[in-house]
Amino acid sequence: MSAAKRLVWHGVGELLWLLLTLSLLASPSWSEPSRRIAANPNHSPAGVLRDGVLTIQIEIARGEWRLDAENGVALSVYAFGEVGHQLQNPGPFIRVPQGTEIRAQLNNTLPVPVTVHGLGIPGNAPVRIGPGGMAQVGFKATTPGLYFYWGATEADDLKLRHGIDAELTGAFVVDPTGAIANDEIFVMEMISDRPGAGARQTLATINGKSWPYTQRFEYHIDESVHWRWINATNEPHALHLHGFYYTIDAFNRAGKVQSYSTQSRPTVVTQRIAQAETFDMSWSPTRSGNWLFHCHMFQHMIRPVVPNVPGVLITADSSPRDEHTMQDAPGMGQMVLGITVPSNGKPSDVTWHADRRIQLEITEREGAPRYLLQVHDRDSSTLSAASETPGLIGPPIVLVRGQPVEIEVVNKLKEPTAIHWHGIELESYYDGVPGWTGSGNQITPVIDPGTSFVARMAPPRAGTFIYHTHWHDPSQLTNGMYGPLIVLPAGEKFDPTSDLTFVFSIGDFGGLKEIALINGTPQGKTLELQVGKTYRLRFINISTNNQGMQVSLRDAKGPVEWLNVAKDGIDLSPASANATPAQQTITVGETYDVKFSASKPQDLLLDLLLPAQKIHITQTLAFKITN
Ligand SMILES: [Cu+2]
């Protein structure tokens, strides 16, 4: 054999060897028997705590993760585990009293180097461990709060973590001295095909599971519930509670824990949580029934699709989700939690009498958007007479605080639907999640074609709310099936000349690129305002996935000023109702009310910026202010 031929052979042999090695790395079925990764509800702290010292041995390994049923979809991913125990997703739960010294040993069983962040006091350098290597970490947990640790073989920035690394996360809680744990710790994780903002496919989970396999909770009426959230994903989320408000008790931004005093706690139905942030919330169910807590981003609340990451998918979905067929019927998945509040035996609703009856009629129309929503007021023609004109989104439904009202949703489509009354405190059966809300045998039905459903409510708060489809079909949410739901204080008349609503959404009118809409159109007419008059501006984000919309009212120099007065239908405390520069980040599922008054004639622009990963666009509406 000539030297040249030997060289070629040598090259081919090396290539074959390289291909074999790569296929071994990529194929967990061939290598060692795959280790199962257990979902971790963060109920049992890991390690051994003795005399003020927590000793813990953590390994980093590849294993088999089941995000649905234990015989469902299987993914091969990197995970943390406590040495001698099962691998876990999220990883071993570290919980210690303030002042504890932590001595952790990290064993990397992977064939690649891994970097672990967050095991140390905030600001400490991450720990890099070579293939098959080991590292020791020692530090004192001094500041009470909610933290997390995470690993990655590729990204050094959580915002860029993706693919096989994405499940390498563990919760880390430091309790104040003497505190008794009475909380649930939730780790949000998301596996995506590409780094950060470039991701096209994502699969998001809570404590290692996707709905309907996420944890279920049962609370009694008036129980005080404390939940704590960790966003270990590469994008922000919008966390929404059905039926009740919750307070934000503390936030951890960039390692700095900010606790709110009881009086200053924000009260919300939707909260944005950015990458690497954590927050604590409290709430109390005051009505029985089934309720939901979920990310309001459409792509995080529908059935999961495994992102196209090489070597990750082991087995696709083989098991029918039989035990959840009914609850799963609306097509939900991923970041959704189910809550059941048993009845306390006291009858509700027995003395129900509607003071007012409204019809919300949904029909299909030619052209875009596909759906036409019309409101017919049976008893009070004055309040919503303007709503009889067909618009591009649902017309405003204007209710009176405390007044019992029946809204009949009439489905004249060829497809089913469901309408959710976002932010309204009502009975579970009327909340609008078919197959889930309600209680016992009385579960909210799907509104089938040609049928209707009567929702009852007597909204206890005046403010800005939303009605929108809870049918998990993207065409309804991007074709106008939503509108503002405005509740006025008793005795107040709705004045459309000073009370202005701006609904921000995304339109996807068949084949067109997704477009940003203000009140259903990308080309709104100039609004004419008067100098010296005070306007209430109501902002609603009911887009698909735009968790970080930024709205501002500006002149040529920048934002003018407005007065923040309410969020999610709750009036702000006088202390936080300040005049501020007229700009606000508004996540999907949030509403904000501001007051605005101009002292001189001028031309302004209402600017909407959508810095999301899928579309980065702006939309504007002109304000012309004259004497
Ligand atoms: Cu989300």
Side-chain angles (χ1 to χ4, degrees), residues 13 21 36 47 58 102 129 144 151 219 225 256-257 293 302 321 329 335 382 389 392 435 442 446 463 474 499 581:
T21 314
R36 273 299 183 100
I58 295 173
I102 292 167
I129 315 150
Y219 296 118
V225 181
K256 277 209 162 29
V257 179
F293 188 85
I302 52 174
R321 304 172 194 211
M335 286 180 166
T382 50
T389 336
L392 296 168
Q442 202 198 25
V446 168
D499 195 327

Side-chain angles (χ1 to χ4, degrees), residues 300-324:
H300 300 156
M301 61 175 300
I302 52 174
R303 289 281 191 89
V305 174
V306 176
N308 187 13
V309 178
V312 158
L313 182 65
I314 303 173
T315 46
D317 198 357
S318 52
S319 63
R321 304 172 194 211
D322 44 355
E323 75 262 43
H324 290 294

Side-chain angles (χ1 to χ4, degrees), residues 556-573:
K557 279 179 281 173
V560 294
E561 279 203 336
W562 62 31
L563 184 71
N564 288 314
V565 292
K567 166 170 161 44
D568 293 348
I570 289 257
D571 289 342
L572 299 176
S573 64

Side-chain angles (χ1 to χ4, degrees), residues 360-421:
L360 174 65
E361 184 187 286
I362 307 172
T363 51
E364 199 157 332
R365 66 174 144 201
E366 295 287 312
R370 246 174 79 192
Y371 306 104
L372 171 63
L373 275 61
Q374 285 169 291
V375 170
H376 311 294
D377 204 322
R378 291 285 176 244
D379 300 316
S380 152
S381 54
T382 50
L383 273 174
S384 60
S387 309
E388 306 268 356
T389 336
L392 296 168
I393 61 171
I397 294 179
V398 182
L399 305 180
V400 176
R401 175 192 195 152
Q403 184 186 52
V405 58
E406 282 184 354
I407 306 177
E408 182 185 17
V409 182
V410 182
N411 181 2
K412 295 190 169 172
L413 306 173
K414 295 187 198 74
E415 60 190 284
T417 191
I419 298 290
H420 168 56
W421 315 95

Side-chain angles (χ1 to χ4, degrees), residues 248-251 253 258-266 280:
I248 307 296
D249 308 336
F251 233 103
R253 293 186 168 105
Q258 179 196 6
S259 294
Y260 295 95
S261 67
T262 314
Q263 303 86 336
S264 67
R265 286 175 185 166
D280 299 351

Side-chain angles (χ1 to χ4, degrees), residues 41-101:
N42 295 314
H43 288 158
S44 311
V48 177
L49 180 61
R50 193 173 294 137
D51 302 328
V53 179
L54 180 84
T55 312
I56 184 168
Q57 283 183 294
I58 295 173
E59 63 175 324
I60 301 139
R62 192 166 184 173
E64 192 178 316
W65 169 46
R66 310 271 172 150
L67 57 121
D68 282 330
E70 287 308 310
N71 59 353
V73 185
L75 303 186
S76 171
V77 294
Y78 298 154
F80 287 118
E82 202 178 349
V83 171
H85 296 77
Q86 224 180 340
L87 295 172
Q88 289 181 307
N89 184 17
F93 175 43
I94 302 179
R95 176 162 219 159
V96 294
Q98 175 179 14
T100 302
E101 192 186 324

Side-chain angles (χ1 to χ4, degrees), residues 236-238 295 297 300 335:
H237 300 274
C295 178
M297 295 166 74
H300 300 156
M335 286 180 166

